[in-house]
């Protein structure tokens, strides 16, 4: 996920590159699939902590409060049915860190059995933010302040940010556990990626402007004066957000999260650009037929069996 604006971009790249290679060890005997998901909060694995130290950062383990635990409990309860089933067998645990530079880090857990399991570490600060606040914070990291006077905000409801971030991250766990994109020539993977992605990281139809955004490989923060052009370009695509353009896995996680919040939980999702307090541009993905058309395939996540 994203980093804070104060995080040097090179550290952001380091974390993104290393996330797929973090492996922690756990004995198969210590894993109990019957443990309720919300009770799987545990200390962050030492291997994950080492990644931050090697990048010159020193996050510390966070002890969740009773109020925070209630927010975590609610977030798990709101996950789609497929997530509930898959996580029961594949989520080893979650943890929270203070002073963590990025929002979340997913680790592959090595176990004595053959089941692929994951641990997700979250920045504890998101437990004190709403979805709207966190989305705005993330989006602002894509731009460099300039003299344009433009600012970014989100209207996305007042649910705790953990609802959004947990759904996004656990979608990666579902994706990895079921190997959703193993064969993109048929089934759901074809429906979702067809005409959008040439491969995991490459757009089917090149867009020079969107390719420059921070979340693309080789991209970087752009001046605020470019925001309207960037979001107009985004509106010509089936992507729900700039972060969706990172890869087809991030595209799925973002698309499903926005779909769930808006269609299933009836929350708003609107990005706004303002200048001197006046709204000058807005983007509502759910008003984009290219977005809603591909969202139809997401109902597979809501099957009761």
């Amino acid at each position: 996920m994203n980093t804070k604006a104060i995080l040097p971009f090179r550290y952001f790249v380091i974390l993104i590159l290393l996330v797929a290679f973090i492996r922690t060890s756990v004995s198969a005997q210590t894993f109990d699939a019957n443990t309720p998901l919300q009770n799987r909060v545990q200390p962050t694995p030492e291997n994950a902590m080492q990644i931050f130290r090697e990048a010159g950062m020193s996050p510390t383990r966070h002890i969740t409060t009773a109020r925070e635990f209630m927010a975590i409990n609610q977030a798990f309860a709101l996950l789609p049915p497929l997530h509930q089933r898959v996580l029961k067998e594949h989520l080893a645990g979650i943890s929270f860190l203070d002073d963590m530079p990025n929002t979340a880090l997913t680790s592959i857990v090595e176990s004595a059995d053959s089941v692929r399991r994951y641990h997700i570490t979250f920045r504890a600060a998101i437990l004190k933010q709403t979805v709207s606040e966190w989305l705005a914070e993330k989006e602002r990291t894509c731009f460099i302040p300039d003299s344009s006077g433009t600012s970014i905000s989100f209207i996305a409801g007042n649910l705790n940010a953990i609802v959004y971030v947990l759904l996004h991250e656990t979608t990666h766990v579902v994706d990895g556990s079921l190997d959703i994109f193993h064969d993109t020539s048929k089934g759901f993977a074809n429906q979702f990626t067809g005409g959008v992605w040439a491969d995991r990281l490459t757009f089917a139809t090149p867009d020079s402007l969107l390719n420059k955004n921070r979340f693309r490989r080789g991209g970087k923060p752009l001046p605020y004066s470019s925001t309207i052009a960037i979001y107009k370009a985004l509106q010509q695509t089936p992507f729900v957000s700039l972060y969706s353009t990172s890869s087809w896995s991030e595209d799925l996680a973002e698309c499903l999260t926005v779909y769930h919040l808006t269609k299933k939980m009836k929350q708003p999702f609107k990005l706004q650009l303002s200048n001197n307090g006046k709204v000058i541009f807005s983007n509502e993905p759910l008003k984009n037929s290219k977005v809603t058309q591909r969202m139809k395939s997401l109902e597979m996540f809501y099957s009761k069996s």
Side-chain angles (χ1 to χ4, degrees), residues 209-222:
L209 187 55
L210 285 182
N211 262 317
K212 295 178 181 178
N213 91 78
R214 182 193 180 189
F215 297 130
R216 294 289 295 160
R217 178 173 293 184
K220 60 183 181 181
L222 300 170

Side-chain angles (χ1 to χ4, degrees), residues 16 24 35 61 64 75 89 110 112 119 144-145 158 187 190 218 248 250 253 275-276 284 291-292 305:
I16 291 298
T24 58
T35 302
R61 292 184 171 92
T64 56
E89 296 291 339
E110 294 182 348
H119 181 99
I144 303 169
N158 293 315
N190 180 56
W248 64 26
E250 297 298 351
N275 194 291
N276 295 319
E284 291 184 78
V291 170
T292 56
S305 60

Side-chain angles (χ1 to χ4, degrees), residues 8-296:
F9 188 61
R10 65 182 182 278
Y11 290 161
F12 171 75
V13 173
I14 289 172
L15 290 168
I16 291 298
L17 291 177
L18 290 179
V19 63
F21 302 102
I22 299 174
R23 293 182 179 274
T24 58
S25 298
V26 63
S27 168
Q29 286 71 34
T30 66
F31 180 81
D32 183 359
N34 293 317
T35 302
L37 295 175
Q38 69 272 18
N39 290 341
R40 299 187 190 188
V41 178
Q42 56 190 233
T44 302
E46 181 58 30
N47 299 55
M49 295 294 289
Q50 187 62 27
I51 292 295
F52 293 111
R53 297 190 192 107
E54 291 175 356
M57 294 167 280
S58 304
T60 57
R61 292 184 171 92
H62 176 83
I63 306 301
T64 56
T65 65
R67 186 172 183 176
E68 290 170 343
F69 182 78
M70 288 178 62
I72 296 166
N73 191 11
Q74 179 191 38
F76 271 116
L78 293 172
L79 292 175
L82 182 60
H83 285 58
Q84 301 280 356
R85 295 195 298 274
V86 171
L87 294 179
K88 182 178 180 180
E89 296 291 339
H90 295 274
L91 182 66
I94 67 170
S95 60
F96 294 85
L97 292 177
D98 290 315
D99 300 317
M100 179 175 169
N102 57 316
T103 298
L105 191 66
T106 298
S107 313
I108 299 173
V109 173
E110 294 182 348
S111 59
D113 57 18
S114 59
V115 179
R116 184 182 299 177
R117 296 195 179 95
Y118 300 83
H119 181 99
I120 309 172
T121 303
F122 298 94
R123 174 160 43 99
I126 66 172
L127 292 168
K128 295 179 173 61
Q129 293 179 295
T130 66
V131 171
S132 296
E133 291 168 341
W134 177 76
L135 283 171
E137 177 186 79
K138 177 183 73 169
E139 209 73 10
R140 289 167 189 153
T141 67
C142 294
F143 300 97
I144 303 169
D146 56 21
S147 60
S148 67
T150 302
S151 62
I152 296 174
S153 62
F154 261 92
I155 298 174
N158 293 315
L159 290 172
N160 192 293
I162 190 62
V163 173
Y164 189 106
V165 182
L166 181 70
L167 177 50
H168 179 107
E169 292 301 320
T170 55
T171 299
H172 290 318
V173 174
V174 174
D175 175 8
S177 300
L178 302 182
D179 207 3
I180 287 176
F181 293 107
H182 175 70
D183 185 355
T184 56
S185 66
K186 58 184 178 181
F188 171 80
N190 180 56
Q191 294 176 45
F192 192 78
T193 64
V196 182
W197 293 96
D199 57 41
R200 186 175 67 88
L201 298 174
T202 309
F203 296 154
T205 304
D207 185 304
S208 59
L209 187 55
L210 285 182
N211 262 317
K212 295 178 181 178
N213 91 78
R214 182 193 180 189
F215 297 130
R216 294 289 295 160
R217 178 173 293 184
K220 60 183 181 181
L222 300 170
Y224 265 89
S225 58
S226 67
T227 51
I228 291 182
I230 285 284
Y231 290 112
K232 281 187 174 180
L234 187 67
Q235 288 178 328
Q236 302 307 308
T237 74
F239 297 123
V240 297
S241 67
L242 287 181
Y243 198 66
S244 289
T245 68
S246 303
S247 68
W248 64 26
S249 293
E250 297 298 351
D251 186 15
L252 172 60
E254 282 287 274
C255 191
L256 179 60
T257 301
V258 173
Y259 176 79
H260 189 72
L261 287 176
T262 57
K263 292 297 186 180
K264 302 298 182 179
M265 299 179 63
K266 308 304 179 185
Q267 297 294 300
F269 191 83
K270 179 195 291 188
L271 174 144
Q272 291 189 158
L273 302 179
S274 301
N275 194 291
N276 295 319
K278 180 181 178 181
V279 176
I280 57 174
F281 182 85
S282 64
N283 180 37
E284 291 184 78
L286 272 291
K287 291 186 177 180
N288 181 345
S289 61
K290 293 180 180 180
V291 170
T292 56
Q293 183 63 32
R294 73 197 292 237
M295 280 183 167
K296 294 177 181 178

